[in-house]
Amino acid sequence: MDSPVTFDRLYEGAKRFARLAMEAHAEQDQEVFLLHAGVSVERLAKAALARVHPTLLSEVNGKDDMLLHFAGAVSKPPARLRTIGASTAIGRLRKMDVLPQKSKSSSEADDLDGLIELRNGVAHLGTGDVEDYLGTFVATVDRLLPHLGQEASSFWESWSDAAQVVLDDRADRLQKDVRLRMNQARHRFRTRFADLPEGAVDG
């Protein structure tokens, strides 16, 4: 029997929820956007793992039903299908250098974690006004698609232009932030060594 959890189903599900997320964002419905964007990222992350090997979707909790199923060692899937959650999938992709690691110099990993945490919060409790995570969502998809062997235009379809605008704006803001940080670093450097003789330090 074919597995109900496959790369194609995960990828197509990610596309469907991405479209719903973009529609919700256009309607300024932040809660619905967070729900759909989080599901889209989770399914796309799982698709990336499944493309390497389906066993990477298995939980490590002492039960081996899903592991045997994904390895093709049993003919029938378990009665209860259970795979890893979004945070675990993202964590495994970070170890594989597919998604960015947490670092002091970049907030990209923290932003993605924030998106997933807010998705979970909306699902359980609802949420008030929150930061706009559209840039984080689109940038994460953009990082994952090459590892899936998929084109952005095929994934985003009618939302391709909007997604590219988001990426361009994000890149521009990141470049400005880098230039600002470099300028600040030079200022701190010059201030620190201001008492040295002229020409002793280049900067």
Side-chain angles (χ1 to χ4, degrees):
M1 180 183 294
D2 292 338
S3 173
V5 184
T6 64
F7 170 84
D8 288 340
R9 290 179 180 177
L10 289 167
Y11 176 73
E12 290 301 324
K15 281 180 61 174
R16 183 171 65 255
F17 280 101
R19 184 183 69 249
L20 293 171
M22 297 297 276
E23 290 172 355
H25 193 275
E27 295 293 330
Q28 299 184 347
D29 191 335
Q30 194 71 349
E31 285 198 345
V32 174
F33 163 73
L34 288 168
L35 282 170
H36 292 324
V39 173
S40 180
V41 167
E42 178 173 350
R43 294 198 180 187
L44 206 60
K46 289 181 178 180
L49 291 172
R51 192 166 189 261
V52 176
H53 200 281
T55 55
L56 292 175
L57 299 176
S58 301
E59 291 184 312
V60 183
N61 61 0
K63 295 182 179 180
D64 55 12
D65 291 353
M66 291 302 293
L67 178 64
L68 293 170
H69 168 60
F70 285 135
V74 293
S75 58
K76 295 175 65 175
R80 184 185 179 191
L81 294 172
R82 185 175 180 84
T83 62
I84 55 175
S87 295
T88 302
I90 289 168
R92 290 181 183 179
L93 288 171
R94 283 174 177 158
K95 291 178 181 177
M96 296 161 59
D97 292 327
V98 174
L99 290 175
Q101 303 276 354
K102 290 179 177 290
S103 72
K104 294 181 179 179
S105 60
S106 173
S107 65
E108 199 169 351
D110 289 333
D111 290 343
L112 177 53
D113 289 343
L115 170 62
I116 298 302
E117 288 170 9
L118 280 171
R119 185 281 302 262
N120 295 339
V122 169
H124 295 291
L125 300 172
T127 186
D129 294 334
V130 295
E131 181 183 347
D132 190 350
Y133 278 83
L134 178 62
T136 299
F137 170 50
V138 175
T140 301
V141 170
D142 189 60
R143 278 186 173 274
L144 289 172
L145 288 178
H147 296 277
L148 299 168
Q150 303 293 326
E151 297 289 336
S153 59
S154 173
F155 181 85
W156 292 112
E157 296 181 343
S158 62
W159 288 101
S160 293
D161 289 345
Q164 190 58 53
V165 168
V166 172
L167 289 173
D168 290 345
D169 179 65
R170 184 179 175 88
D172 183 57
R173 285 187 287 110
L174 287 173
Q175 288 174 1
K176 289 178 180 177
D177 185 60
V178 168
R179 289 197 296 269
L180 174 61
R181 289 178 183 275
M182 290 176 64
N183 186 276
Q184 291 170 336
R186 282 195 294 267
H187 177 76
R188 289 194 299 269
F189 182 83
R190 289 168 179 165
T191 301
R192 182 177 180 182
F193 296 103
D195 294 334
L196 290 177
E198 185 176 351
V201 177
D202 293 330

